[in-house]
């Protein structure tokens, strides 16, 4: 068996891409996207129709208000890609809510409501087939808590700290996406090293700690490792609930044979002595502030997603200026 097949026997594999052909090739259970991935996919000729449709929708719905047009266009584009992905994967697609709303709970909720309406109009059941992807700020976690109570499920992204993970679990969110590779990037730069042994990789250690904490205290929130830089990080997290993996790394796993031992185990986690934490807003903000890596990477991630959202808006307008 390939390493990918073995990994699938203990972990739900998710495709981290907006490219439908790559998703179909590796047969993942779910798929996840973000503005960066959709921006890349939207530039492919085979997806132009989806972009044009979104621009026409934004023009029709937004009228003369340029901000309203852009917002309508971006939401329709996300739903267009999500709807097409759901024709390929048997599970769910993660659809990101505009990163520029990361510190506004009410605005995040309003955008989620709009996405729900668009998915329903496309014949998709958002309560069963979609995860609403929200940055793991305090405000984002609060929005996710409300959405979960409404029967809508959330994927809390840009997660770098243990405090963020604890707050997400207490809020009852469906899934979190700790960013393994970005954590590694920060520590390599801070420590001025080329890398670490797989079992000492800071991103791997972060996800392992979160996984064990969740299992020890019986949280239902799913841990989905994300943002991988190499195969060793993935294999060191074999047994994690979910792993979202780029097509390039999925290809390496599919073409490589060898044993894939289970590294994360819920039964083993139940035997661990792990203190349960309770974080209110001041404690959450303090713990996040004390973690320089998480503070810097969260802010950077929001800025990057926002920048790619603006690039995607501009690209769509230029492509379909005469639509």
């Amino acid at each position: 068996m390939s390493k990918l097949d073995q990994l699938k026997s203990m972990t739900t594999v998710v495709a981290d891409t907006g490219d439908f052909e790559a998703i179909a090739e590796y047969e993942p259970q779910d798929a996840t996207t973000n503005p960066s991935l959709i921006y890349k996919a939207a530039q492919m000729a085979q997806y132009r129709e989806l972009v044009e449709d979104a621009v026409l929708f934004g023009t029709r719905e937004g009228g003369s208000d340029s901000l309203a047009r852009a917002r309508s266009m971006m939401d329709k584009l996300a739903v267009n890609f999500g709807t097409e992905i759901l024709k390929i994967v048997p599970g769910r697609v993660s659809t990101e809510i505009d990163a520029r709303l990361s510190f506004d709970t009410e605005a995040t909720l309003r955008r989620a409501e709009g996405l729900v309406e668009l998915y329903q109009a496309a014949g998709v059941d958002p309560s069963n087939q979609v995860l609403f992807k929200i940055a793991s700020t305090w405000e984002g976690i609060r929005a996710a808590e409300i959405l979960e109570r409404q029967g809508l499920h959330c994927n809390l992204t840009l997660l770098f700290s243990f405090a963020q993970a604890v707050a997400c679990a207490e809020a009852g969110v469906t899934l979190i996406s700790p960013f393994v590779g970005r954590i590694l990037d920060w520590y390599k730069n801070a420590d001025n090293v080329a890398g670490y042994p797989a079992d000492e990789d800071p991103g791997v250690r972060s996800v392992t700690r979160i996984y064990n904490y969740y299992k020890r205290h019986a949280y239902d929130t799913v841990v989905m490792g994300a943002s991988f830089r190499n195969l060793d990080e993935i294999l060191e997290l074999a047994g994690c609930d979910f792993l979202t993996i780029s097509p390039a790394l999925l290809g390496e796993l599919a073409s490589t044979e060898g044993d894939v031992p289970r590294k994360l185990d819920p039964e083993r986690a139940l035997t661990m002595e792990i203190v349960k934490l309770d974080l209110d807003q001041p404690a959450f903000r303090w713990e996040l502030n004390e973690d320089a890596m998480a503070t810097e990477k969260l802010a950077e991630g929001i800025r990057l997603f926002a920048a790619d959202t603006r690039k995607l808006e501009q690209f769509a307008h230029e492509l379909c200026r005469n639509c």
Side-chain angles (χ1 to χ4, degrees):
M1 293 176 67
S2 71
K3 288 188 176 181
L4 179 59
D5 287 333
Q6 291 179 72
L7 184 63
K8 285 181 177 180
S9 72
M10 65 188 90
T11 291
T12 297
V13 172
V14 178
D16 193 10
T17 181
D19 184 346
F20 310 147
E21 294 174 5
I23 294 170
E25 181 178 358
Y26 297 109
E27 301 180 336
Q29 173 68 24
D30 293 355
T32 182
T33 65
N34 61 44
S36 307
L37 296 173
I38 290 181
Y39 176 68
K40 293 176 183 176
Q43 296 177 78
M44 300 178 185
Q46 61 265 43
Y47 305 137
R48 177 165 179 163
E49 183 178 342
L50 299 180
V51 179
E52 290 178 346
D53 178 70
V55 172
L56 288 171
F57 178 85
T59 301
R60 184 174 65 251
E61 297 297 317
S64 60
D65 185 332
S66 60
L67 181 60
R69 286 199 306 271
R71 183 165 56 242
S72 296
M73 179 194 68
M74 294 303 296
D75 285 352
K76 187 64 165 68
L77 185 60
V79 169
N80 282 353
F81 271 86
T83 300
E84 291 300 313
I85 287 170
L86 286 169
K87 296 175 182 178
I88 303 169
V89 301
R92 298 180 291 197
V93 64
S94 289
T95 296
E96 187 130 359
I97 293 177
D98 196 330
R100 293 170 292 188
L101 305 178
S102 295
F103 302 101
D104 190 332
T105 298
E106 290 303 319
T108 297
L109 291 172
R110 289 194 298 271
R111 291 298 285 276
E113 290 170 1
L115 290 168
V116 166
E117 292 177 1
L118 289 172
Y119 268 120
Q120 289 174 333
V124 171
D125 180 1
S127 63
N128 289 322
Q129 295 176 278
V130 180
L131 291 173
F132 294 94
K133 205 170 178 186
I134 302 170
S136 301
T137 59
W138 180 261
E139 294 81 4
I141 295 169
R142 300 283 68 79
E145 184 175 30
I146 294 169
L147 291 171
E148 293 282 354
R149 290 202 299 264
Q150 296 173 351
L152 298 170
H153 303 294
C154 298
N155 170 354
L156 272 291
T157 188
L158 294 175
L159 193 145
F160 302 98
S161 76
F162 189 65
Q164 289 173 294
V166 171
C168 287
E170 288 294 323
V173 305
T174 296
L175 180 147
I176 63 167
S177 299
F179 275 30
V180 180
R182 296 196 194 188
I183 293 173
L184 171 64
D185 295 343
W186 191 92
Y187 278 101
K188 284 169 61 177
N189 183 64
D191 294 342
N192 193 28
V193 297
Y196 305 84
D199 61 347
E200 296 178 14
D201 182 304
V204 169
R205 285 187 165 187
S206 177
V207 174
T208 300
R209 181 187 182 193
I210 292 166
Y211 176 91
N212 288 332
Y213 180 84
Y214 277 17
K215 303 311 175 190
R216 175 63 182 82
H217 296 294
Y219 287 110
D220 292 329
T221 301
V222 171
V223 181
M224 180 172 75
S227 176
F228 293 105
R229 297 294 181 257
N230 54 64
L231 288 191
D232 288 341
E233 287 182 320
I234 295 169
L235 298 175
E236 198 62 31
L237 292 174
C240 191
D241 299 325
F242 285 37
L243 296 175
T244 180
I245 305 170
S246 70
L249 290 174
L250 285 172
E252 288 188 47
L253 287 167
S255 63
T256 307
E257 296 185 353
D259 291 336
V260 178
R262 184 174 195 128
K263 296 301 182 79
L264 301 186
D265 188 320
E267 296 301 322
R268 188 163 63 244
L270 288 172
T271 68
M272 299 178 179
E273 293 295 328
I274 305 174
V275 176
K276 190 173 184 180
L277 302 181
D278 183 18
L279 299 177
D280 58 10
Q281 182 175 173
F284 171 87
R285 294 196 185 281
W286 177 253
E287 290 298 328
L288 187 59
N289 178 75
E290 287 294 277
D291 189 332
M293 176 276 298
T295 298
E296 292 176 20
K297 298 306 288 186
L298 173 60
E300 178 189 67
I302 291 171
R303 288 195 300 269
L304 290 173
F305 279 175
D308 279 336
T309 298
R310 289 190 290 269
K311 287 194 296 185
L312 185 55
E313 288 173 345
Q314 184 61 34
F315 169 77
H317 280 307
E318 291 177 357
L319 181 64
C320 296
R321 187 171 295 168
N322 298 318
C323 290

